[in-house]
Amino acid sequence: MLTREFVHTFREAAPYINAYRGKTFVLAMGGESLLDGDFSSMAQDINLLVSLGVRIVLVHGIRPQIETLLQRQGIAPQFHQQRRVTDAATMDIVKQAAGATRHDVEARLSMGMPHSPMHGAHLRVAGGNFVTAQPLGVLDGVDMQYTGQVRRVDAAAIRQRLDGGELVLLTPVGYSLTGESFNLAMEELATHAAIALKAEKLIFVVEGRGAVEQDSELISTLTAHQAEQLLQAGSLQDDVAACLPYCIRATREGIPRAHLVSRHQDGALLLEHFTRGGNGTMIARDPLVKVRHASIEDVGDILGLIRPLEEQGILVRRSRERLEVEIGEYSVLEHDGKIYGCVAMHPFPEAETAELACLAVSQEKRDGGFGEQLLKHVEYQARTQGLQSLFVLTTQTSHWFVERGFAEVDKSALPLTRQQFYNYQRRSKVLVKKL
């Protein structure tokens, strides 16, 4: 039983391992994670990600460390608009906290005891003056002094270190062109870094499981718009409410996915990214792309998409009249109001299957994943109709479908009514996908 479970889990993770290799993840964790034993297991998982080819930028916070040092020095903390007012004495404390915490992080990431998951890893950690900062200034008459904001992240320098297989560690202290140091917000720094690096993911480590409903049910996925509505409701945990606006901003500025994962659950980082269900909250950018049912007004655009493929012999020729008659079985993909793809689904309910036909994507968008979106749309339609499988007939694109779960079968597997119209001159391959 354990062997089967391991094999199933490993196979489930394999597509994600392949997809994330060479991609950049920006991982942000508060200083709380370093005050207990949770970071040791997280460090092992970070090391594993790097060994799998994921490029990691780790941004750590220092808020609790600053509070502890301020208390020891008898300095009262000052805040305005939920930001620390950093005077000269506090800035000295910030530097102490930043240096000590950075050394702790590097020590944990360097662990390599025999019989431990990190044995023999030899992870190299890179740091430097990658972040240019500027003063936050005067807010509502309050001089924030050495509290700063990110001015620029040196993405080229960070990429150079990542290209060398190193993990890049960013501390929330930035340096100005005048040679001063400024105290930065960890969340802002991580978001700027993700955007500058065009990262695949921005990940925040939080106290809870992620964003939860009022009945404590975990919300596994959100769009940026849904996340904004959740923030307005005002029922989120404090650290989730602090991170979510940065997730929204990141996804709106081109980061495909942002995530909230628990710092207390062992393996949360791996479960979120290498299992289908995940275990945290994922935030996706607002959909500029949508797939909808086609209307008679779309016939001209569909003809424009399929004509080049018909001329190449990839698709069977279809007349305008036939398209108009069958338009109810077509769907189109729009990007920002323009049609870039189409697909048809012809159901055979007596055989509990449907034919996927006329899948076409504009030449200029073929690297945008639009074909996969159209396929998923048809799969969803088929499932909602209670169908058990999809089949496709193709002469030149069989590999594309095989890579997405289809398997070649004999034409005798076609529904009887479809076999009658099989074109023996084209000799199309028949591929089936179980739903």
Side-chain angles (χ1 to χ4, degrees):
M1 179 64 72
L2 288 175
T3 300
R4 287 201 300 270
E5 288 178 0
F6 170 78
V7 171
H8 172 76
T9 303
F10 201 76
R11 286 173 175 167
E12 182 181 359
Y16 301 105
I17 295 171
N18 186 56
Y20 296 150
R21 187 177 296 115
K23 298 297 193 300
T24 300
F25 290 9
V26 175
L27 175 62
M29 57 176 58
E32 296 82 3
S33 298
L34 305 167
L35 296 178
D36 49 35
D38 293 333
F39 184 64
S40 293
S41 60
M42 182 73 74
Q44 295 172 7
D45 295 342
I46 291 170
N47 212 307
L48 176 57
L49 287 174
V50 174
S51 72
L52 292 173
V54 180
R55 296 148 60 95
I56 297 289
V57 176
L58 177 60
V59 184
H60 71 83
I62 51 174
R63 290 183 186 125
Q65 288 84 353
I66 293 172
E67 289 299 317
T68 299
L69 291 173
L70 287 174
Q71 189 174 17
R72 287 179 186 171
Q73 296 291 330
I75 302 173
Q78 303 176 62
F79 291 89
H80 179 67
Q81 293 186 6
Q82 298 182 323
R83 289 292 300 271
R84 187 184 302 279
V85 179
T86 312
D87 57 19
T90 303
M91 191 65 216
D92 286 338
I93 295 292
V94 169
K95 292 175 183 178
Q96 293 177 47
T101 305
R102 181 182 185 87
H103 285 301
D104 286 344
V105 172
E106 290 186 3
R108 305 281 183 88
L109 291 171
S110 300
M111 289 190 303
M113 294 292 290
H115 310 299
S116 75
M118 292 169 64
H119 178 54
H122 303 300
L123 176 63
R124 291 177 295 162
V125 180
N129 57 338
F130 298 127
V131 182
T132 303
Q134 61 189 24
L136 197 55
V138 179
L139 302 180
D140 304 323
V142 177
D143 187 353
M144 303 300 289
Q145 301 184 59
Y146 292 99
T147 299
Q149 57 187 337
V150 177
R151 181 174 180 177
R152 189 176 73 89
V153 173
D154 191 345
I158 293 175
R159 287 195 192 99
Q160 187 175 26
R161 295 304 184 96
L162 295 173
D163 290 343
E166 298 176 324
L167 178 147
V168 174
L169 182 61
L170 298 182
T171 297
V173 175
Y175 310 102
S176 73
L177 298 177
T178 58
E180 295 175 293
S181 300
F182 288 94
N183 180 23
L184 304 175
M186 176 270 294
E187 297 86 354
E188 181 194 3
L189 175 55
T191 305
H192 272 271
I195 293 169
L197 291 164
K198 296 181 172 57
E200 183 74 10
K201 292 178 181 291
L202 171 62
I203 307 158
F204 287 105
V205 179
V206 295
E207 289 293 317
R209 294 175 295 161
V212 296
E213 302 273 16
Q214 291 185 345
D215 60 0
S216 298
E217 190 73 23
L218 178 68
I219 305 171
S220 61
T221 59
L222 288 168
T223 65
H225 178 66
Q226 290 170 331
E228 285 177 331
Q229 292 178 319
L230 205 58
L231 280 169
Q232 291 172 2
S235 59
L236 293 171
Q237 190 173 317
D238 288 346
D239 61 339
V240 172
C243 294
L244 210 49
Y246 294 96
C247 294
I248 294 167
R249 177 184 171 185
T251 56
R252 290 258 169 86
E253 295 197 33
I255 306 304
R257 299 286 184 269
H259 297 260
L260 304 174
V261 299
S262 172
R263 78 178 182 93
H264 294 296
Q265 182 177 0
D266 187 26
L269 190 59
L270 302 180
L271 289 168
E272 175 69 1
H273 293 96
F274 294 96
T275 61
R276 290 192 180 92
N279 76 325
T281 298
M282 180 183 74
I283 300 91
R285 57 186 153 194
D286 288 341
L288 284 175
V289 178
K290 67 177 180 179
V291 180
R292 61 170 174 81
H293 292 294
S295 67
I296 199 70
E297 289 79 18
D298 299 320
V299 170
D301 287 315
I302 294 174
L303 285 169
L305 287 168
I306 66 176
R307 283 294 181 250
L309 300 177
E310 290 175 351
E311 291 169 2
Q312 297 171 50
I314 296 173
L315 293 179
V316 177
R317 287 193 175 273
R318 293 165 173 80
S319 66
R320 175 180 284 271
E321 291 74 21
R322 179 182 172 186
L323 276 174
E324 290 176 351
V325 170
E326 297 180 347
I327 197 64
E329 296 180 346
Y330 279 75
S331 298
V332 293
L333 181 146
E334 284 185 338
H335 181 270
D336 210 14
K338 183 178 179 181
I339 292 176
Y340 286 101
C342 66
V343 70
M345 188 188 84
H346 307 306
F348 294 83
E350 73 281 359
E352 296 186 325
T353 189
E355 180 180 7
L356 183 151
C358 202
L359 176 60
V361 175
S362 172
Q363 178 69 41
E364 62 189 288
K365 294 291 186 179
R366 285 185 187 165
D367 293 328
F370 288 178
E372 285 87 348
Q373 291 190 49
L374 288 164
L375 172 59
K376 288 178 181 177
H377 174 73
V378 172
E379 289 177 355
Y380 175 77
Q381 281 187 306
R383 288 192 186 98
T384 58
Q385 294 182 28
L387 304 179
Q388 299 300 310
S389 64
L390 284 176
F391 68 89
V392 63
L393 278 70
T394 180
T395 57
Q396 299 181 37
T397 58
S398 59
H399 278 198
W400 189 91
F401 287 100
V402 168
E403 290 166 4
R404 287 152 183 83
F406 285 76
E408 187 173 351
V409 298
D410 187 81
K411 59 182 177 296
S412 61
L414 292 170
L416 293 176
T417 52
R418 184 63 179 86
Q419 289 183 40
Q420 297 171 6
F421 296 97
Y422 181 82
N423 189 329
Y424 285 86
Q425 289 184 327
R426 283 179 60 83
R427 297 180 62 189
S428 300
K429 293 184 177 181
V430 180
L431 297 103
V432 173
K433 181 175 184 178
K434 300 293 184 183
L435 300 176

